[in-house]
Amino acid sequence: MASHRRRSNGWVQDGGLTSEQEVSLVPGTRITDQQVCLYMNNRKKKLQALAAAKTGISERSARRIEHDVKLPSQTPRRYWRSRVNPFEQVWDSDVVPLLCSAPKLMAITVLRKLQDDHPDQFPDGMLRTLQRHIRHWRALEGPSKEVFFPQEHAPGHRGLSDFTAMGELRITIANAPFAHILYHFVLAFSRWEHVEVVEGGESFEALSKGLQNALWQAGGTPQEHRSDSLSAAFKNLAEEDDFTARYTALLDHYDMLGTRNNRGLSHENGSVESSHRYLKEAIEQALLLRGHRDFEDRPAYEAFVREAVMRRNRRNAAAFRIEREHLRDLPPRRTTDFVEEEARVTRCGTFTVRAILYSAPSRLIGHRLKVRLYSDRLDCYLSGALVLTLARGIRSPIGGRGRVIDYRHFIDALKRKPQAFKGLVFRDALFPREAYRRTWEQLDLKLPQRQACQTIVALLEMAARDGVEAVLAQRLDALLAAGLLPDVKQLREQFASRKAELPDVTVDIPAASRYDALLPSAHEDEPEAVSA
């Protein structure tokens, strides 16, 4: 038999439902007229317990049905209180002023305030009652709530862009945490999606690249492009649409109208905001099915994300075919998705672009480079010729500066001045892998400065010159795990490239007279005699 407990407004089953109308065994449902009729029909042939079980109600409800044959629809509901309101004395004087001054106050906060002002009068067990009273007061006298208006989207009318963080998925590349975000584009009508992996922030370059890739993959452009208040697209200095010059040029190139939602109201960009959650859930499920979250390199992770997006797009293929017919034609070519800046290579072999320090080959020292910043890389030009390509750096959370240093640019100089390695400002950025940094820490701790610097420079030279950076790092990890320091001579014999032994080839030169056989004979060259 189902247990019951007394409450102010009637009887309640274990599921917590009131019995102003009887409740069934299924939590959250009430006994209907049809169930009463079904029970009465079953009761004619079966015992009470069996008839109740077959109908899906408790035995107590069955006894009540037999005691009172009224149908639930004929039973009047009670709307009056059965006991005195415990907050009646303090409601108008204490609670209402608090709610009027701070409408977002939680019931637990109000209860704690009442407990402080009126000790021993309001125990914790009154919280649920206070919550009901506050909810009722807000419905009658509280502030107005925001209304959400469902929208009907026409095919080909609107495309939406946004960025979403991916830190909660804990993705790693080669066992190192991969800090990144996703650029997410959605066509509002068909829910067709496109995603780009972005390592930096929400830059214009990332927006331009992702948007253009999405449009060209979709095969057309919508009439309107909508986003939130991205600093890459809006100046955010006025209430009107204050587009940046670069974003305006991008919209004009693809003949799209630019709009945005109100600041701080991300739900107004709901077609893409809601897709963020479902996309992350799809990627999370694919990661769980995969069994681990580590990827060999960034292209492998990008392919994984692309496959997850393609699976989602296949479910919307029919709607996309309809929307594809309403998209506008693409322009003849893409527009630029980079920003140009100039930077001078200092005598330290470095240059700075947007607070990120980059390294360059020493032959470029003193030259001014034309730098094109893409979302993921830098292309450096000198007199119109591409001389250097580097991965785009990310600002450090501490200090705001970042460093992209290629140790290969400094090997020759460090060989001549190995002790400069000890106090080098960007020394930690030189190490290509974590194993080299740990090796330097042990060398610096156990060897004299001169010998430690010479050893680490020799190891870096070996990694750069012989192409053994990865395998050498594994070997260094093994040595450190065994408590040993690296022996450069032995490692060089083991990993240095060896010259291939050339076979001895003997060439016999024939005499020149032997070539006469290849020439036509003398009588073959003379014309034949003609008879008179």
Side-chain angles (χ1 to χ4, degrees):
M1 181 181 297
S3 62
H4 292 70
R5 56 187 173 84
R6 185 72 179 176
R7 215 174 68 171
S8 61
N9 57 349
W11 289 94
V12 181
Q13 281 192 332
D14 289 336
L17 297 172
T18 64
S19 62
E20 294 139 355
Q21 293 177 343
E22 296 290 345
V23 293
S24 67
L25 290 175
V26 181
T29 60
R30 298 180 183 275
I31 293 179
T32 63
D33 293 354
Q34 291 80 3
Q35 284 180 297
V36 173
C37 296
L38 179 61
Y39 170 76
M40 297 304 293
N41 290 334
N42 290 329
R43 185 70 176 91
K44 296 176 181 178
K45 302 178 182 179
K46 297 178 176 62
L47 296 176
Q48 185 183 72
L50 185 59
K54 195 172 185 65
T55 309
I57 62 176
S58 66
E59 291 184 46
R60 179 166 185 171
S61 297
R63 288 195 297 272
R64 287 186 176 184
I65 291 175
E66 293 186 14
H67 182 266
D68 186 3
V69 295
K70 291 182 180 180
L71 295 175
S73 60
Q74 299 172 342
T75 304
R77 297 188 62 180
R78 177 172 58 80
Y79 294 98
W80 60 89
R81 294 184 181 276
S82 61
R83 64 171 179 164
V84 178
N85 181 5
F87 298 98
E88 184 175 3
Q89 300 298 325
V90 297
W91 184 257
D92 293 331
S93 60
D94 293 10
V95 178
V96 172
L98 288 174
L99 295 177
C100 290
S101 61
K104 294 184 179 180
L105 276 178
M106 298 176 62
I108 183 64
T109 307
V110 176
L111 181 62
R112 295 288 181 258
K113 175 65 174 174
L114 294 176
Q115 290 173 343
D116 294 339
D117 296 343
H118 308 275
D120 302 328
Q121 292 189 26
F122 302 101
D124 290 344
M126 290 186 177
L127 175 61
R128 184 68 186 94
T129 302
L130 181 60
Q131 288 174 338
R132 289 196 302 271
H133 284 306
I134 292 178
R135 186 172 184 270
H136 182 71
W137 178 86
R138 284 173 173 161
L140 297 180
E141 304 179 35
S144 299
K145 296 182 179 180
E146 185 175 2
V147 179
F148 291 81
F149 298 99
Q151 299 292 302
E152 182 178 355
H153 300 287
H157 176 69
R158 176 178 290 178
L160 303 100
S161 292
D162 197 12
F163 293 90
T164 181
M166 298 292 287
E168 66 269 23
L169 295 186
R170 305 185 304 281
I171 303 298
T172 59
I173 301 293
N175 296 318
F178 183 48
H180 69 290
I181 60 178
L182 290 184
Y183 166 81
H184 195 184
F185 176 84
V186 177
L187 289 174
F189 173 78
S190 64
R191 315 296 298 176
W192 181 88
E193 299 172 292
H194 177 78
V195 169
E196 295 277 342
V197 177
V198 180
E199 282 194 72
E202 300 179 5
S203 64
F204 171 77
E205 296 79 30
L207 173 64
S208 176
K209 176 186 175 183
L211 177 58
Q212 292 192 79
N213 287 346
L215 297 178
W216 284 86
Q217 184 175 345
T221 65
Q223 300 175 24
E224 175 189 321
H225 177 248
R226 188 175 183 84
S227 69
D228 56 12
S229 300
L230 296 173
S231 58
F234 299 92
K235 300 175 184 177
N236 293 321
L237 298 176
E239 293 299 329
E240 63 271 9
D241 294 335
D242 51 341
F243 300 156
T244 62
R246 294 180 297 175
Y247 183 57
T248 301
L250 179 63
L251 293 176
D252 291 343
H253 183 78
Y254 287 96
D255 192 22
M256 292 188 298
L257 174 66
T259 62
R260 67 172 176 185
N261 57 285
N262 293 313
R263 298 173 190 173
L265 301 178
S266 59
H267 62 266
E268 293 184 357
N269 216 11
S271 294
V272 66
E273 290 287 348
S274 61
S275 294
H276 288 339
R277 176 165 59 91
Y278 296 122
L279 174 62
K280 290 181 182 180
E281 288 178 355
I283 295 177
E284 172 71 16
Q285 292 299 310
L287 289 170
L288 293 175
L289 194 62
R290 186 171 181 261
H292 62 92
R293 300 169 185 268
D294 186 64
F295 294 85
E296 181 179 355
D297 49 26
R298 174 172 168 168
Y301 173 62
E302 290 177 334
F304 176 82
V305 173
R306 188 163 51 249
E307 178 61 29
V309 174
M310 290 174 62
R311 285 195 296 269
R312 288 171 54 81
N313 284 339
R314 282 195 288 268
R315 296 197 296 268
N316 301 320
F320 177 69
R321 283 193 293 268
I322 297 174
E323 184 157 31
R324 177 65 185 85
E325 299 298 326
H326 293 80
L327 294 177
R328 296 176 176 177
D329 293 335
L330 289 164
R333 58 176 178 80
R334 294 167 62 109
T335 186
T336 57
D337 54 359
F338 61 84
V339 178
E340 282 194 346
E341 294 195 8
E342 288 190 352
R344 185 179 183 86
V345 182
T346 68
R347 61 182 181 178
C348 299
T350 59
F351 62 95
T352 302
V353 177
R354 294 193 178 182
I356 308 294
L357 186 70
Y358 298 89
S359 65
S362 58
R363 61 180 177 273
L364 297 177
I365 290 177
H367 290 281
R368 185 172 294 277
L369 304 177
K370 182 79 71 175
V371 182
R372 290 183 176 179
L373 281 83
Y374 294 86
S375 62
D376 58 345
R377 73 182 191 279
L378 271 68
D379 286 347
C380 303
Y381 293 83
L382 180 63
S383 300
L386 179 64
V387 295
L388 183 63
T389 297
L390 298 170
R392 182 165 180 173
I394 304 174
R395 291 192 178 187
S396 171
I398 303 175
R401 291 182 60 87
R403 290 168 178 169
V404 179
I405 305 296
D406 190 342
Y407 69 102
R408 299 173 183 85
H409 296 157
F410 300 97
I411 288 299
D412 292 335
L414 286 174
K415 284 181 62 179
R416 294 190 296 269
K417 304 175 183 179
Q419 293 193 69
F421 187 88
K422 171 71 175 180
L424 190 59
V425 173
F426 47 82
R427 180 192 64 206
D428 292 340
L430 274 178
F431 299 119
R433 295 173 185 263
E434 189 67 15
Y436 294 89
R437 185 190 61 79
R438 292 195 296 267
T439 300
W440 163 250
E441 291 177 352
Q442 296 299 315
L443 292 173
D444 187 37
L445 183 65
K446 298 179 180 180
L447 296 180
Q449 175 179 328
R450 184 181 186 86
Q451 186 178 356
C453 292
Q454 289 176 342
T455 302
I456 191 64
V457 170
L459 293 174
L460 292 175
E461 180 191 13
M462 193 186 311
R465 298 283 188 265
D466 301 328
V468 294
E469 177 186 305
V471 293
L472 181 57
Q474 296 176 358
R475 179 59 177 165
L476 292 176
D477 277 333
L479 291 173
L480 293 177
L484 303 175
L485 294 179
D487 187 326
V488 176
K489 185 177 180 180
Q490 291 182 356
L491 292 174
R492 185 173 286 117
E493 292 177 355
Q494 180 179 357
F495 293 107
S497 58
R498 296 175 174 82
K499 294 182 179 180
E501 296 182 0
L502 300 178
D504 294 332
V505 179
T506 303
V507 179
D508 296 329
I509 301 178
S513 59
R514 298 185 61 179
Y515 291 97
D516 292 341
L518 302 176
L519 300 175
S521 58
H523 66 275
E524 291 179 354
D525 294 338
E526 295 178 358
E528 296 182 359
V530 180
S531 58

